Amino acid sequence: MVGTQQEREEKVSLELTEEILQSMETGMVFRDYNGRISSMDFHKTSSYLVTASDDESIRLYDVAGAACLKAINSKKYGVDLVCFTSDPTTVLYSSKNGWDESLRLLSLNDNKYLRYFKGHHDRVVSLSLCSRKECFISGSLDRTVLLWDQRAEKCQGLLRVQGRPAAAYDDQGIVFAIAFGGYIRMFDSRKYEKGPFDIFSVGGDVSDANAVKFSNDGRLMLLTTMDGHIHVLDSFRGTLLSTYNVKPVSINSTLEASFSPEGKFVVSGSGDGRVHAWSVRSGKEVASWVTYETEPHVIKWAPGSLMFATGSSELSFWIPDLSKLAAYVGRK
């Protein structure tokens, strides 16, 4: 683990700037998918990435080694959302078959289910693990948000919502956020049953919430909505800092966005298949890339790295092209 930490510190020693972001392009692409990638997740302390695809596969990648280590099929249940637990060989995923909405804890080592989590009665559209504890949260079109412990099959708590929910833990697991209907409700993880301790407005945007996320330091949060809006807020005061606009997404798609590791930039997909990047400080778009896709990419920034990944009909890793950067050409 020590070596891994040193590597991460070296990776981020080249600070992410607008110039570096503008130079980024696809450096590595995996094209062997037979369906769209619906979800992906980087492990926080290893170089692994996991993807879920409409071809009913879960794939594990070693990003540092530029290799797909394993592909597991989930033909019976399908797969929609996927995320790592603290163990890089164990993932949690939701179904996509329309008849069994259980969540599943899967060992990638031996392709065995470790636990089933039954409780939802419609498609799960939001899934967030608390990285510091063994708990996670799920939101469903059945208009419930359920709180779980990985060690127990029954849910630990239930919250009812009035709309499609997006839910997320902050990095410390101290608070979680639930977004729907134009508002983000903030809950204390230890006493959520008392209701939200704060409610933040996102300026009258009442279109369906797609994804809510916290920055790594917990100071910022973002919310994406079906109408193509990406709202960035101060997570302590609830102040709406910026709203970025992209093409709206269809009801079957999800607009996803991701903070860069230090929280200075946001990258996102768009309903027309483009990829965009904004400066949080200025609120201005700093980069935009045309892709061959016509639907929104899922998008995640790699922890502690100058790299992000996009998923569509293929998996792409975006890295800086240092040859474009006059300030850095002489360093290598």
Side-chain angles (χ1 to χ4, degrees), residues 77 91-93 95 100 102-106 113 115-116:
Y77 303 110
V91 297
L92 182 71
Y93 78 92
S95 312
D100 184 342
S102 301
L103 299 162
R104 291 173 173 78
L105 193 63
L106 174 70
Y113 293 116
R115 197 158 285 115
Y116 298 87

Side-chain angles (χ1 to χ4, degrees), residues 207-264:
S207 65
D208 275 353
N210 273 191
V212 65
K213 296 181 184 179
F214 288 88
S215 60
N216 285 344
D217 62 9
R219 294 173 184 270
L220 300 170
M221 58 196 309
L222 64 78
L223 169 67
T224 68
T225 67
M226 192 175 155
D227 278 358
H229 304 306
I230 301 146
H231 305 288
V232 177
L233 299 90
D234 179 312
S235 60
F236 296 119
R237 298 184 181 88
T239 314
L240 184 60
L241 303 175
S242 293
T243 295
Y244 317 133
N245 300 301
V246 298
K247 295 289 184 188
V249 298
S250 70
I251 197 161
N252 296 319
S253 299
T254 297
L255 177 62
E256 191 171 27
S258 182
F259 284 108
S260 59
E262 73 307 310
K264 289 182 181 177

Side-chain angles (χ1 to χ4, degrees), residues 81-83 92-94 103 124-129 136-138 167:
L81 303 178
V82 67
C83 48
L92 182 71
Y93 78 92
S94 67
L103 299 162
V124 173
V125 291
S126 187
L127 190 60
S128 175
L129 267 81
F136 65 94
I137 189 170
S138 59

Side-chain angles (χ1 to χ4, degrees), residues 5-314:
Q5 188 60 39
Q6 283 175 348
E7 285 168 19
R8 293 194 180 286
E9 284 170 5
E10 284 169 18
K11 276 184 190 171
V12 295
S13 63
L14 189 61
E15 187 186 351
L16 183 63
T17 62
E18 287 187 17
E19 191 181 22
I20 289 177
L21 194 50
Q22 287 159 0
S23 83
M24 293 181 86
E25 56 185 38
T26 52
M28 180 169 59
V29 180
F30 291 88
R31 295 192 170 92
D32 56 337
Y33 285 86
N34 296 312
R36 289 189 66 79
I37 296 168
S38 55
S39 175
M40 63 182 170
D41 189 33
F42 282 100
H43 190 257
K44 280 190 162 52
T45 55
S46 72
S47 65
Y48 289 165
L49 172 86
V50 66
T51 66
S53 166
D54 291 347
D55 64 11
E56 300 174 327
S57 70
I58 296 170
R59 305 188 192 202
L60 179 68
Y61 293 86
D62 177 4
V63 180
C68 180
L69 301 180
K70 187 167 286 193
I72 293 173
N73 290 317
S74 176
K75 297 290 184 189
K76 183 177 179 182
Y77 303 110
V79 55
D80 194 7
L81 303 178
V82 67
C83 48
F84 280 112
T85 64
S86 56
D87 179 349
T89 64
T90 308
V91 297
L92 182 71
Y93 78 92
S94 67
S95 312
K96 204 175 191 174
N97 58 17
W99 54 268
D100 184 342
E101 305 302 341
S102 301
L103 299 162
R104 291 173 173 78
L105 193 63
L106 174 70
S107 167
L108 299 176
N109 274 338
D110 48 15
N111 193 17
K112 285 188 177 169
Y113 293 116
L114 306 177
R115 197 158 285 115
Y116 298 87
F117 304 95
K118 298 175 187 273
H120 284 302
H121 303 290
D122 204 341
R123 185 175 150 225
V124 173
V125 291
S126 187
L127 190 60
S128 175
L129 267 81
C130 173
S131 59
R132 305 294 174 100
K133 298 166 189 165
E134 298 280 301
C135 50
F136 65 94
I137 189 170
S138 59
S140 165
L141 295 179
D142 64 14
R143 298 195 167 196
T144 65
V145 172
L146 301 182
L147 288 90
W148 307 85
D149 186 311
Q150 285 179 44
R151 298 159 294 191
E153 290 189 356
K154 291 187 176 176
C155 74
Q156 309 296 296
L158 182 153
L159 295 162
R160 298 194 183 278
V161 296
Q162 284 82 49
R164 173 185 169 133
Y169 276 105
D170 78 321
D171 195 51
Q172 304 294 319
I174 296 168
V175 302
F176 62 85
I178 300 175
F180 63 90
Y183 293 90
I184 302 174
R185 289 157 173 83
M186 306 292 290
F187 292 83
D188 184 325
S189 297
R190 295 154 299 184
K191 42 191 179 189
Y192 58 86
E193 64 279 356
K194 293 186 176 179
F197 65 81
D198 218 336
I199 301 177
F200 303 152
S201 168
V202 291
D205 178 8
V206 294
S207 65
D208 275 353
N210 273 191
V212 65
K213 296 181 184 179
F214 288 88
S215 60
N216 285 344
D217 62 9
R219 294 173 184 270
L220 300 170
M221 58 196 309
L222 64 78
L223 169 67
T224 68
T225 67
M226 192 175 155
D227 278 358
H229 304 306
I230 301 146
H231 305 288
V232 177
L233 299 90
D234 179 312
S235 60
F236 296 119
R237 298 184 181 88
T239 314
L240 184 60
L241 303 175
S242 293
T243 295
Y244 317 133
N245 300 301
V246 298
K247 295 289 184 188
V249 298
S250 70
I251 197 161
N252 296 319
S253 299
T254 297
L255 177 62
E256 191 171 27
S258 182
F259 284 108
S260 59
E262 73 307 310
K264 289 182 181 177
F265 299 97
V266 170
V267 289
S268 88
S270 172
D272 59 4
R274 293 176 76 100
V275 176
H276 299 271
W278 291 269
S279 163
V280 171
R281 185 174 295 157
S282 71
K284 292 179 180 174
E285 184 175 272
V286 295
S288 175
W289 298 270
V290 177
T291 72
Y292 296 109
E293 299 293 328
T294 55
E295 293 183 61
H297 295 75
V298 292
I299 190 162
K300 288 279 192 318
W301 202 289
S305 177
L306 291 174
M307 177 179 70
F308 64 87
T310 57
S312 51
S313 58
E314 54 192 37

